[in-house]
Amino acid sequence: MPILLVAFPRLFRDLPNPFGRRLLAFLAMAGVSIGASAAPRVVPMESRLWSTTVSPATFDIQEGFPNGTMTLRDGYGILKDQAFGDGTIEFDMKALDFSDTGILFRRRDAENAEFFYLRTDPECPAANDCYQYAPITHGRMQWDIYPQYQGPAAISEKGWNHIKLVIAGARLEVYLNRAETPTLIVGRLRGLTKDGGIAFKGPAVFANLTIDTTPPRTSSEADRSTTAERPGIVSHWWVSLPTRLPASGTPSASGADTLVWRQANAEPNGLVNLSRIEGPTPDPAIGWLKTDVVAAAAGTRRVDIGFARQVWVFVNGVLAYQGRNPYYPPAERLQVDGRLEPANASVPLALVKGKNAILVAVGNLWKTHDGREKASPYGWGAMLRFENPSGLQF
């Protein structure tokens, strides 16, 4: 009976009178609560509850913080023995430096999690990168291919900021500094995990952590980054396993017929996220995409291409466009600010009447601020949209 009372409270409320009323009265006299949810967990900042990476954390008890504070100078503080899928997480954070300081949730391991962070800066009330959501998949933190989930906010550069996350299925709502409406809404989380652990990332001081796994109520507001699907987006692709970036730095379409292909659908905005589809590559690599476009008549069609970090577009085996979108050096970044955007480039493609084979090679070469080259630890992908899709099938 106790299990049924908790799991199916409506069953007992809906029992026929007078039996239902008598049973509920008896249970109330016995101190049994019908349908009551578990209280939020208040997590003390104590060393026994946390493991750390890179450098040890410092735990303190001070006036005003009865559950203590945890200072992370570098790396991560990982909460032990906490499984989290849906619910509400609240905490306070004081950043110690300009960095991506924040929280990872649904963390499966160091390679896969959802990540929300602040980049505290004096310019934050106006700067468009003061907060951001980014998925981490296969070890890649994809801040640079989801710029729609970053923005400005009135946050304290050197003081405390209160962060509240409400997670329900694929939806994330973030409330900063006790805002009554969401500062950020992510309508569809992009990570690979549905549940997992919780971790903090420094350098910052953390306090007042509470975790409530009760199914949350979310706002009625829509994901403001989601716009009506624009015509012309190429959504259906074939993708192949990555190949090593040639020594020449330029791939060729000649070997595409020997690759093994599998179907892949783009995200609603057209993004094919290779960071999500493919595992990490030890060296700079090329990801391959292909599709067919059937044109009612021959002619030139302009396409918008978004990409990170390099792209080569072949039409019927002929190179039609190549471009780079580096983050370093800053002067070479494409708009906006070196992120993947739907129109990093606008390119004319010459199509023949009938079927046209479109092959896209996407490079993940990352150049560091000091000029070293490696496989990107961040986002990797591309999107393509025909500005005028009339007379085209794809």
Side-chain angles (χ1 to χ4, degrees):
M1 179 70 76
I3 295 175
L4 290 174
L5 293 176
V6 175
F8 306 103
R10 286 183 55 85
L11 173 66
F12 296 92
R13 291 195 180 99
D14 295 341
L15 286 172
N17 291 326
F19 177 77
R21 287 198 301 268
R22 290 175 180 171
L23 177 58
L24 290 173
F26 170 78
L27 294 171
M29 292 176 61
V32 177
S33 178
I34 304 298
S37 59
R41 178 190 178 191
V42 178
V43 182
M45 295 300 172
E46 300 175 357
S47 60
R48 64 184 177 85
L49 298 177
W50 298 85
S51 61
T52 59
T53 67
V54 183
S55 62
T58 301
F59 298 89
D60 294 305
I61 295 291
Q62 54 185 293
E63 186 174 353
F65 297 90
N67 294 304
T69 62
M70 177 174 65
T71 301
L72 288 170
R73 296 288 176 184
D74 197 5
Y76 300 86
I78 304 164
L79 181 60
K80 298 177 183 178
D81 302 323
Q82 174 67 56
F84 181 87
D86 289 3
T88 304
I89 304 171
E90 294 193 58
F91 63 97
D92 292 293
M93 182 181 77
K94 180 166 63 175
L96 299 176
D97 202 355
F98 179 68
S99 186
D100 50 348
T101 55
I103 183 170
L104 294 85
F105 59 97
R106 293 182 175 175
R107 179 184 183 273
R108 179 189 301 161
D109 49 37
E111 307 292 309
N112 295 279
E114 308 283 10
F115 187 24
F116 177 81
Y117 59 91
L118 302 182
R119 290 163 54 87
T120 58
D121 183 270
E123 306 298 328
C124 265
N128 75 343
D129 60 353
C130 286
Y131 67 79
Q132 185 161 11
Y133 156 75
I136 301 173
T137 63
H138 306 300
R140 300 188 186 99
M141 197 274 276
Q142 298 149 44
W143 60 273
D144 51 344
I145 63 174
Y146 291 108
Q148 66 268 40
Y149 295 127
Q150 65 180 45
I155 60 178
S156 174
E157 177 193 6
K158 299 184 182 299
W160 289 98
N161 292 288
H162 186 79
I163 300 171
K164 176 182 176 181
L165 308 181
V166 178
I167 301 103
R171 182 181 174 92
L172 165 67
E173 296 180 356
V174 180
Y175 298 77
L176 293 180
N177 290 324
R178 307 185 191 281
E180 294 185 1
T181 58
T183 308
L184 170 68
I185 298 174
V186 178
R188 187 170 69 88
L189 290 165
R190 274 16 185 227
L192 295 172
T193 60
K194 295 186 181 300
D195 53 49
I198 291 172
F200 287 135
K201 183 180 182 297
V205 186
F206 298 90
N208 302 323
L209 172 62
T210 62
I211 302 168
D212 188 350
T213 56
T214 303
R217 293 183 178 180
T218 57
S219 74
S220 59
E221 292 191 38
D223 181 343
R224 294 185 289 271
S225 72
T226 302
T227 57
E229 184 172 317
R230 302 175 67 189
I233 290 174
V234 180
S235 298
H236 305 294
W237 293 88
W238 293 83
V239 61
S240 181
L241 290 173
T243 60
R244 190 183 181 98
L245 180 70
S248 65
T250 302
S252 168
S254 61
D257 291 340
T258 65
L259 299 175
V260 178
W261 298 91
R262 64 191 188 279
Q263 288 183 306
N265 291 326
E267 296 182 9
N269 68 345
L271 172 64
V272 180
N273 182 355
L274 294 171
S275 314
R276 195 177 197 273
I277 297 171
E278 306 293 353
T281 62
D283 299 297
I286 298 293
W288 296 93
L289 309 173
K290 73 173 184 177
T291 193
D292 290 330
V293 175
V294 179
T300 299
R301 297 298 185 101
R302 185 165 289 276
V303 296
D304 295 333
I305 303 172
F307 60 96
R309 289 287 151 191
Q310 302 84 33
V311 73
W312 296 262
V313 180
F314 301 87
V315 180
N316 298 321
V318 178
L319 181 63
Y321 172 76
Q322 61 179 326
R324 300 184 308 117
N325 187 12
Y327 192 71
Y328 295 111
E332 297 182 11
R333 297 173 186 171
L334 298 183
Q335 291 300 316
V336 175
D337 211 16
R339 272 74 164 168
L340 185 153
E341 291 280 356
N344 290 134
S346 181
V347 180
L349 298 184
L351 304 181
V352 300
K353 182 179 179 179
K355 186 170 74 172
N356 294 265
I358 308 297
L359 179 68
V360 181
V362 189
N364 71 350
L365 186 147
W366 176 268
K367 184 174 287 188
T368 65
H369 68 281
D370 56 3
R372 292 178 294 112
E373 295 182 345
K374 62 179 182 178
S376 174
Y378 305 117
W380 181 22
M383 59 174 65
L384 188 148
R385 186 185 76 88
F386 283 90
E387 294 183 3
N388 178 15
S390 177
L392 301 179
Q393 296 179 15
F394 45 83

